[in-house]
Amino acid sequence: MALKKLVAASHSLHQKVINTSASCQRESALEQADEEEEQKLFQSKVKRASRAIAKSGVNSETLKQQKKKNEAEEMIKNKRTVFVGNLPVNSTAQMLKSLFKEYGQIESIRFRSVVPAEDTLSKKLAAIKRKIHPNVKYINAYVVFKEECDAIKALKKNGTEIASGFHIRVDIASKNSLHDNKRSVFLGNLSYDISDDAVREHFADCGDVVAVRIVRDRQTGMGKGFGYILFENTDAVHLALKLNNSDLMGRKVRVKRCVEKGKAPQRAPNQPRGPKDRARAALKTKGVSNGSFVGEKASPSKKSTKTKRLKKSVTKKKVGKNK
């Protein structure tokens, strides 16, 4: 009877680990898909430019030079462009100009993450006419400065509360802008309609929050169930990790350290690796010795000493007979 309970407990534990692993894989796949989508958008822009040049009858060598020139210009432009996230849907270009004009001359402002209220409207027209889907509560924008140094100064606005419940996220649009993994945590199992400020408030006691990023669907603006928090210092990360499995909007939020891409998160020394190890760990917690159920494994490197003794006795007998 006790054995059946232990086996059932080990199966239950195994199933929980599988479910958690599947959820992590899903979030990782969504994150990768989000990055791939950004890359595809950039590539499609380059292709459109290439086709336009090709139609004009320009040779391949000139086309390559033009492509390199466009990429270089895009990189330079991104360095003097700031991304402004978590803006209210009623935000206007004039409002953003007045917010950032103290840092330098602004070249242009364009809004992103706009979901039209009607299918017949384009995103650009929806942004101009302010006909945005009622379920969308946040939009983003890009502010392009005349000078790169002005864009860097504008980063001081990061975390500013411009309206009730709207702390904006300001970052350089350049791909070279680094994200400090040591001061960040990954959040999983988030509610799809969660706001940046709800996350900020949940982790406020851990330390000063520099930025919150909820990964959202480009078409609907809804969250994908995961995101990140960047803190002012690493001490806040240790406190944030203690909120793993805490309740946030009716869901048990998963909090993990951010790791560099390509590096697997470090496993704790005593953490079981596979189903067998988990079953043994379950048996240990129940106070039953492993020897009752698990047989000792034979070591292939150790040869039996009995066979050696037999061989020695046989050789001695042969030597005796020869004498």
Side-chain angles (χ1 to χ4, degrees), residues 4-275:
K4 284 182 179 179
K5 286 182 179 180
L6 290 170
V7 171
S10 66
H11 279 305
S12 176
L13 181 63
H14 186 202
Q15 191 61 42
K16 284 180 181 178
V17 172
I18 289 171
N19 291 341
T20 305
S21 177
S23 181
C24 289
Q25 287 174 358
R26 174 185 164 277
E27 287 163 358
S28 178
L30 283 169
E31 184 182 6
Q32 188 177 354
D34 192 57
E35 290 175 356
E36 286 175 357
E37 191 177 354
E38 288 183 359
Q39 188 64 26
K40 283 178 182 177
L41 284 170
F42 177 74
Q43 287 175 354
S44 65
K45 285 181 182 179
V46 174
K47 282 181 180 179
R48 281 198 296 269
S50 301
R51 284 170 189 167
I53 295 166
K55 283 180 181 179
S56 63
V58 183
N59 60 39
S60 60
E61 190 61 36
T62 310
L63 185 66
K64 286 179 182 178
Q65 289 176 0
Q66 186 64 40
K67 185 180 176 181
K68 286 181 180 180
K69 185 182 176 182
N70 290 341
E71 288 176 355
E73 286 176 355
E74 186 73 19
M75 285 179 68
I76 293 167
K77 188 177 180 180
N78 283 340
K79 287 180 180 179
R80 52 189 179 89
T81 302
V82 292
F83 168 85
V84 187
N86 198 37
L87 289 166
V89 291
N90 60 353
S91 300
T92 62
Q94 189 59 44
M95 183 268 284
L96 286 176
K97 279 182 181 178
S98 61
L99 184 67
F100 289 101
K101 65 180 181 182
E102 62 181 292
Y103 301 112
Q105 194 174 355
I106 295 170
E107 185 179 289
S108 64
I109 293 173
R110 59 188 190 274
F111 289 97
R112 290 292 180 268
S113 309
V114 175
V115 181
E118 302 167 9
D119 294 336
T120 53
L121 287 173
S122 66
K123 289 186 177 182
K124 187 175 181 180
L125 196 60
I128 295 168
K129 292 188 173 184
R130 278 293 173 269
K131 290 188 176 182
I132 300 171
H133 197 281
N135 290 340
V136 177
K137 297 178 178 64
Y138 327 94
I139 58 174
N140 304 319
Y142 287 97
V143 179
V144 185
F145 287 88
K146 287 280 187 182
E147 302 294 336
E148 183 182 338
C149 58
D150 295 336
I152 294 168
K153 286 188 286 184
L155 298 178
K156 293 176 183 177
K157 285 291 184 185
N158 182 55
T160 303
E161 188 175 16
I162 61 169
S164 180
F166 288 92
H167 290 82
I168 59 171
R169 179 165 64 93
V170 184
D171 193 14
I172 294 291
S174 173
K175 296 278 185 181
N176 296 327
S177 59
L178 298 174
H179 182 77
D180 191 350
N181 288 325
K182 291 180 181 179
R183 294 188 291 126
S184 306
V185 292
F186 168 85
L187 306 177
N189 198 36
L190 294 173
S191 174
Y192 296 116
D193 59 348
I194 197 167
S195 66
D196 289 20
D197 270 53
V199 174
R200 183 184 286 270
E201 188 178 343
H202 188 73
F203 290 89
D205 293 336
C206 299
D208 293 333
V209 177
V210 175
V212 175
R213 184 196 169 208
I214 305 299
V215 180
R216 301 185 183 278
D217 185 85
R218 290 179 181 275
Q219 300 301 320
T220 64
M222 295 292 287
K224 292 187 177 183
F226 64 97
Y228 304 89
I229 300 182
L230 175 64
F231 290 101
E232 190 68 45
N233 54 58
T234 54
D235 293 335
V237 171
H238 296 295
L239 295 173
L241 292 171
K242 292 180 181 180
L243 292 178
N244 184 45
N245 286 326
S246 60
D247 186 78
L248 178 57
M249 291 183 65
R251 298 176 75 116
K252 298 289 183 185
V253 64
R254 185 161 56 256
V255 186
K256 298 192 299 182
R257 289 183 181 276
C258 284
V259 293
E260 291 180 20
K261 289 182 182 179
K263 286 188 178 181
Q266 290 184 346
R267 187 187 280 108
N270 298 324
Q271 186 178 350
R273 289 172 177 250

Side-chain angles (χ1 to χ4, degrees), residues 6 270 277-290:
L6 290 170
N270 298 324
D277 290 336
R278 285 192 288 272
R280 287 172 188 167
L283 291 171
K284 282 183 180 180
T285 55
K286 293 285 183 180
V288 183
S289 65
N290 287 346

Side-chain angles (χ1 to χ4, degrees), residues 306-322:
K306 289 183 180 179
T307 53
K308 285 183 179 180
R309 287 173 185 169
L310 286 170
K311 283 180 181 179
K312 284 181 181 179
S313 61
V314 170
T315 51
K316 283 180 181 178
K317 285 178 183 180
K318 284 182 179 180
V319 170
K321 283 180 182 181
N322 290 335

